[in-house]
Amino acid sequence: STVSVELHALPASQDSEGFNLSCTSNVALVSAGGLRGLLFGFYALLKRVGYGFVHPLHVIRPEDTVRWCVNFSDSPSNLGRHGTPLLGAVRGSHYHTQHPLELTNFLNGFGPDASYDSDAAWATGWPAWTLYLQWLVANGQNFVEWCLLEAEAWSKFSISTVRQSRLRRAVDMAHDWGLRVSIDAPLNLAQQHAWRLQPSHGNLTERLDWLLELGVDAVSTEVGTTEFTHGSPQDTVSLIDSIVEKLAKQNKELIVKNHASTGQRAKGFEDPLQPGKDINFNFLTFYADKRVVNAPHTVQMYSLTDPLMGSYSRSNYSDMHAMMRLFQSSGRPAVYFPETAYWVDFDVSVPLFLPLYAANRLAD
């Protein structure tokens, strides 16, 4: 059967994600106070009648003829549905382009053969990017970010206007899908070809401006020089504070990853959870501008309460869990950043969406 779907934009409201659905005869009505709510409602309708968006490249379609209004509700007399996600909550995906994923080339301005001199070659990545964005929205997400890369071999392309134009178009499409966008650019972390805000050969202000011209809503960063080493704690806090101030003037946020690595202490900055001891360098953001969005980053499939088998020299995540609670109780913005699909040699040989990951994220 067929259905006429009407999208009704209500007066703009603070709740830009809530929606109302109703269905009578062969007319389905989706109404919301914003683009994101309209999209959430539309995909809620599709899922209600049997569509499934389990993977960007695999959409499940109902095998039987869709009976839109009968299937829409558990009761024929109750043909409405209201969806109200937690107001202001960040629900999103970090696409880790420091690993060789399907969209790594496209999201860094390259063609599928790693060339960067052909706009047409780069544009072949549009269909996959569109499917990925659809998958996010169909699953109620409102945020996406990825890592920017850089290498000496193509340093001129790294901050070129050509690359900037391509990335801006990718950001624009994410906005068209109602998603907020952030680019992950470490302060000076020198590993995995990271595009750094403050490399030895570049100017931080110029590079930050270049990044902001992409139209991003936030900038994400990391505080160490590698996952296991760090620079001056005082200089790091000062640098974070200056970036926060610059971004705030444009109504944008700085998200700082609090990595799970251990063995690094910020000398002279007391650990609020262990008075008399220096704080873990990764949580130095506790002493930075209170507008910093903290992003505690756990790794692999473990939950916050699981024992660990030595990952990053850890036996558990109890200190990270405690810092998350401290951020919350002290009114500091934070977003939990667990690793929900690993790589390297850990689980690359097994299927995606392992039940253990899902169960542990739900437990968290």
Side-chain angles (χ1 to χ4, degrees):
S1 65
T2 61
V3 66
S4 172
V5 180
E6 298 181 6
L7 303 180
H8 286 206
L10 301 175
S13 66
Q14 185 181 13
D15 181 9
S16 63
E17 299 188 347
F19 59 87
N20 284 291
L21 297 180
S22 61
C23 195
T24 56
S25 184
N26 65 336
V27 177
L29 174 63
V30 181
S31 56
L35 170 63
R36 196 177 295 155
L38 287 174
L39 289 169
F40 285 174
F42 176 70
Y43 281 99
L45 171 64
L46 292 181
K47 288 191 283 187
R48 192 71 185 89
V49 298
Y51 286 84
F53 299 87
V54 297
H55 187 280
L57 301 179
H58 180 53
V59 176
I60 296 174
R61 292 173 171 80
E63 295 181 0
D64 299 327
T65 300
V66 173
R67 300 172 65 195
W68 289 91
C69 288
V70 174
N71 292 353
F72 178 71
S73 176
D74 294 329
S75 168
S77 62
N78 179 19
L79 299 179
R81 179 176 175 219
H82 179 67
T84 307
L86 181 62
L87 191 63
V90 174
R91 302 179 307 279
S93 175
H94 168 93
Y95 198 88
H96 200 61
T97 48
Q98 288 182 339
H99 292 170
L101 308 177
E102 293 87 344
L103 286 165
T104 291
N105 284 8
F106 177 79
L107 291 176
N108 273 280
F110 290 87
D113 60 352
S115 64
Y116 53 82
D117 54 359
S118 169
D119 199 62
W122 170 77
T124 59
W126 277 118
W129 181 227
T130 303
L131 290 172
Y132 185 72
L133 297 176
Q134 174 182 251
W135 175 71
L136 290 175
V137 172
N139 286 285
Q141 306 300 283
N142 59 22
F143 176 86
V144 63
E145 76 169 19
W146 65 90
C147 304
L148 205 57
L149 305 179
E150 184 172 41
E152 184 62 32
W154 38 274
S155 57
K156 290 184 178 180
F157 176 69
S158 176
I159 54 172
S160 67
T161 56
V162 172
R163 189 187 201 194
Q164 192 177 54
S165 173
R166 292 174 186 172
L167 296 180
R168 187 185 299 117
R169 281 180 273 168
V171 170
D172 286 346
M173 175 169 274
H175 286 158
D176 289 343
W177 279 89
L179 295 161
R180 295 176 66 244
V181 181
S182 181
I183 295 291
D184 188 336
L187 297 178
N188 43 39
L189 181 137
Q191 66 179 53
Q192 296 178 299
H193 295 297
W195 191 98
R196 293 171 285 171
L197 287 170
Q198 193 181 39
S200 57
H201 60 276
N203 179 282
L204 183 143
T205 300
E206 292 178 358
R207 290 171 73 84
L208 184 57
D209 286 342
W210 187 92
L211 206 58
L212 293 176
E213 288 180 17
L214 303 180
V216 295
D217 305 285
V219 174
S220 300
T221 195
E222 335 241 347
V223 294
T225 49
T226 69
E227 290 182 352
F228 307 99
T229 58
H230 64 271
S232 161
Q234 185 58 62
D235 289 349
T236 300
V237 170
S238 297
L239 186 56
I240 289 173
D241 288 350
S242 66
I243 295 173
V244 169
E245 186 63 32
K246 180 178 177 65
L247 293 179
K249 292 177 180 178
Q250 300 188 39
N251 197 32
K252 300 180 188 296
E253 297 175 317
L254 179 67
I255 303 169
V256 181
K257 310 291 173 53
N258 309 111
H259 198 274
S261 61
T262 59
Q264 302 180 72
R265 296 286 172 177
K267 189 174 182 180
F269 291 81
E270 187 176 62
D271 187 338
L273 300 175
Q274 295 180 294
K277 293 186 177 181
D278 293 329
I279 195 170
N280 180 330
F281 186 86
N282 291 297
F283 285 103
L284 191 58
T285 49
F286 182 78
Y287 288 97
D289 191 302
K290 291 186 178 181
R291 291 171 291 185
V292 168
V293 179
N294 300 275
H297 178 38
T298 59
V299 299
Q300 299 173 339
M301 77 291 187
Y302 303 105
S303 78
L304 286 167
T305 56
D306 279 339
L308 269 69
M309 301 301 291
S311 180
Y312 286 97
S313 301
R314 284 185 167 276
S315 57
N316 57 61
Y317 285 133
S318 59
D319 59 325
M320 299 195 75
H321 197 183
M323 282 302 299
M324 291 168 69
R325 293 183 179 278
L326 182 59
F327 286 143
Q328 185 177 33
S329 64
S330 58
R332 297 165 187 266
V335 56
Y336 179 39
F337 181 37
E339 215 159 40
T340 305
Y342 202 57
W343 188 72
V344 194
D345 59 356
F346 192 74
D347 59 14
V348 71
S349 61
V350 294
L352 297 175
F353 304 125
L354 293 174
L356 186 59
Y357 277 108
N360 283 344
R361 292 303 148 256
L362 184 60
D364 290 343

